[in-house]
Amino acid sequence: MGKSILLKVLPRWADEIERISYLSNSETPPVVSVLGKYNHGKSTLLNALVGQEVFRVSDIRETTALYTFEHDGIEWLDTPGLDADVAADDDRLARQGAWTEADIRLFVHSVREGELDRTEQELIHALRDDCEGSRRKVFAVLTQIEQVEDEDALRRILETTQRQLQGLEFFPVSAARYSQGIERNKPILIKRSGLPELLARIKHAALEVPGNRKDEIATLSEILLGDLERSQASHTAKLARQLQKKATRLDTFDREFHDLRTMLHHKLNEA
């Protein structure tokens, strides 16, 4: 059965159908997708992780498409900021990057913004639920920690945000501090940036992707097949009821037609 037919029959499984279709036709290396709100440091984080200035960084909204860059056996994917486009096209692309293509998701939130807002919390909840079902890893990355100079204030922000992250692994990082450490050959800055720990965790998770993809395809196929069979059974039962109603109406029509013809014969004989 084609994807378009499946989407018509099982519209509520649109994300899962798109994902299994992507996996079935893709031989890409592990995909790490970075998502979060506009201007929270996603592109800057990616540039630090790959060690090159390949993703656009700007104070104005620049990322309006899915940008990918393959490096060190991983495909890194930058997505548009959530809620950046009132026409919702950016959100659609961000969703594609997060749900269809990604094997590992990095949820990015700038500590300078304080707590997560409602949109971010809803996304975290959805990502966490998907992680439990698909085994795709989700890491929360709290960026721009160097912009909160008061250590007590930073600690409070991190503690509050960690509670909102609902148990996800989280990494406070500073891409700016990491870049300075690389440029100046300052190992202490590199370590304090939090980037080495995050990168090591990503690379370890990437090793599990091939096996996880196989398991995910099997799990999704089983779910879709089960729902498809239930849908078929429901439609078959509905068709059977409709045919039974038609048969009943036809029997009633035949009986009434027979009675009418008999009556007319009697009338003609009487005449």
Side-chain angles (χ1 to χ4, degrees):
M1 179 179 291
K3 183 179 73 172
S4 59
I5 298 177
L6 275 174
L7 288 169
K8 289 181 180 179
V9 176
L10 304 173
R12 71 188 185 93
W13 292 109
D15 288 335
E16 289 78 3
I17 293 170
E18 292 290 349
R19 174 64 174 167
I20 197 171
S21 176
Y22 174 80
L23 290 177
S24 300
N25 297 284
S26 174
E27 296 182 357
T28 61
V31 177
V32 176
S33 178
V34 177
L35 59 149
K37 287 212 161 187
Y38 155 68
N39 206 24
H40 277 231
K42 301 190 307 300
S43 301
T44 301
L45 173 67
L46 276 172
N47 286 333
L49 288 170
V50 303
Q52 301 180 51
E53 296 292 323
V54 294
F55 294 95
R56 298 179 183 179
V57 178
S58 176
D59 290 333
I60 61 174
R61 183 165 60 89
E62 288 282 350
T63 305
T64 57
L66 296 178
Y67 289 99
T68 63
F69 179 72
E70 188 173 336
H71 174 72
D72 201 17
I74 293 175
E75 185 169 306
W76 304 86
L77 191 156
D78 195 10
T79 66
L82 298 172
D83 292 341
D85 186 356
V86 294
D89 194 49
D90 283 1
D91 282 356
R92 178 185 60 79
L93 290 171
R95 190 170 186 80
Q96 178 183 337
W99 300 101
T100 302
E101 300 184 18
D103 298 298
I104 300 167
R105 278 79 64 91
L106 305 183
F107 169 78
V108 174
H109 174 79
S110 172
V111 296
R112 69 183 183 186
E113 301 296 332
E115 298 182 14
L116 308 181
D117 66 16
R118 183 180 59 82
T119 300
E120 291 174 305
Q121 291 185 58
E122 290 174 352
L123 175 60
I124 283 293
H125 182 75
L127 289 172
R128 184 169 172 268
D129 286 349
D130 180 74
C131 179
E132 293 175 355
S134 70
R135 297 175 61 188
R136 288 190 278 178
K137 293 291 189 297
V138 179
F139 303 135
V141 184
L142 307 181
T143 59
Q144 301 171 336
I145 59 174
E146 80 285 349
Q147 295 189 19
V148 182
E149 297 180 359
D150 187 300
E151 292 188 2
D152 289 336
L154 177 60
R155 185 183 68 254
R156 288 193 296 271
I157 293 172
L158 294 178
E159 289 174 352
T160 300
T161 309
Q162 185 179 12
R163 287 194 295 271
Q164 292 182 299
L165 292 173
Q166 305 178 36
L168 291 182
E169 292 184 62
F170 84 107
F171 298 84
V173 303
S174 169
R177 191 176 289 165
Y178 179 79
S179 297
Q180 291 171 6
I182 295 294
E183 292 173 2
R184 302 174 186 176
N185 193 25
K186 298 287 187 180
I188 188 64
L189 280 179
I190 295 173
K191 182 178 180 180
R192 288 183 59 213
S193 72
L195 261 293
E197 182 181 357
L198 172 61
L199 187 56
R201 186 67 184 92
I202 292 172
K203 289 184 176 180
H204 182 270
L207 296 176
E208 302 173 347
V209 166
N212 287 347
R213 281 180 172 179
K214 293 179 180 179
D215 292 342
E216 188 178 359
I217 289 176
T219 300
L220 289 177
S221 297
E222 183 178 357
I223 292 173
L224 291 175
L225 181 60
D227 219 34
L228 190 62
E229 290 175 346
R230 285 188 290 273
S231 178
Q232 181 185 25
S234 175
H235 281 80
T236 299
K238 182 179 180 180
L239 179 60
R241 289 193 297 271
Q242 291 174 341
L243 291 175
Q244 181 60 46
K245 288 180 180 179
K246 288 182 179 180
T248 300
R249 289 198 295 268
L250 184 59
D251 287 342
T252 300
F253 174 80
D254 287 342
R255 185 172 59 254
E256 291 177 350
F257 181 79
H258 178 269
D259 292 343
L260 178 61
R261 187 175 61 179
T262 300
M263 182 190 68
L264 290 175
H265 273 300
H266 283 313
K267 292 295 184 180
L268 287 173
N269 289 336
E270 290 175 0

